[in-house]
Amino acid sequence: MSAVDEKGRRILTEFREFAMKGNVVDLAVGVIIGAAFGAIVTSLVGDIIMPLIGAATGGLDFSNYYLPLSKAVTATNLADAKKQGAVLAYGSFLTLTINFIIVAFVLFIVIRAINTLKRKEAAAPAEPPKPSAEVVLLTEIRDLLKK
């Protein structure tokens, strides 16, 4: 076996050991669950909260607010305006900022609820530990001697 083959095997072995360490696997699981949770939060905001806000504000939509940066831009919507030239799309930024604030607030409420449940579990009185067999036997002997 050549030195190159041996070095390649060592690298593969080291990589396998690294990839199978607990921290790497935990990180991978965290990323996957985080992505799934992100999809749930995105759906909650986009499909439930934003329509309610839209209904309350009369369908206010900032996404088409922009400032043309050249005289060639004459379109009335952002997509066409971007095709005509440079625009400052502050409405898109404002919409994303509002979405971020809503998502952050929803996450705050969810994490707060989880922490409250954890505190209630921790505060729940635990059953006292059962006495050992020796203690039970000694208690029986004591009770018999009292008679």
Side-chain angles (χ1 to χ4, degrees):
M1 187 179 300
S2 72
V4 173
D5 290 340
E6 184 64 33
K7 187 174 181 180
R9 281 182 204 249
R10 276 198 319 261
I11 290 174
L12 286 176
T13 303
E14 286 180 41
F15 177 73
R16 184 176 37 129
E17 289 172 3
F18 167 77
M20 299 314 283
K21 283 185 181 177
N23 294 341
V24 175
V25 174
D26 291 345
L27 178 62
V29 169
V31 167
I32 292 167
I33 289 176
F37 185 71
I40 291 171
V41 171
T42 301
S43 176
L44 175 68
V45 170
D47 299 332
I48 295 173
I49 294 173
M50 289 306 282
L52 293 174
I53 291 174
T57 60
L60 186 61
D61 182 18
F62 298 111
S63 62
N64 273 321
Y65 289 11
Y66 65 93
L67 291 173
L69 298 178
S70 72
K71 295 192 186 281
V73 178
T74 58
T76 57
N77 66 40
L78 181 60
D80 293 337
K82 283 183 174 181
K83 292 176 185 174
Q84 292 177 345
V87 294
L88 184 66
Y90 68 91
S92 296
F93 176 76
L94 190 58
T95 300
L96 290 174
T97 302
I98 291 170
N99 286 348
F100 170 78
I101 291 169
I102 292 168
V103 168
F105 182 72
V106 168
L107 283 175
F108 168 74
I109 296 299
V110 168
I111 291 172
R112 186 170 182 229
I114 290 170
N115 287 340
T116 302
L117 290 174
K118 282 184 181 179
R119 274 188 241 119
K120 285 182 182 177
E121 281 182 8
E127 288 185 25
K130 293 186 178 186
S132 68
E134 288 177 345
V135 173
V136 170
L137 182 61
L138 289 173
T139 304
E140 289 174 4
I141 293 172
R142 181 197 65 201
D143 291 345
L144 288 172
L145 287 174
K146 281 185 180 179
K147 291 182 184 180

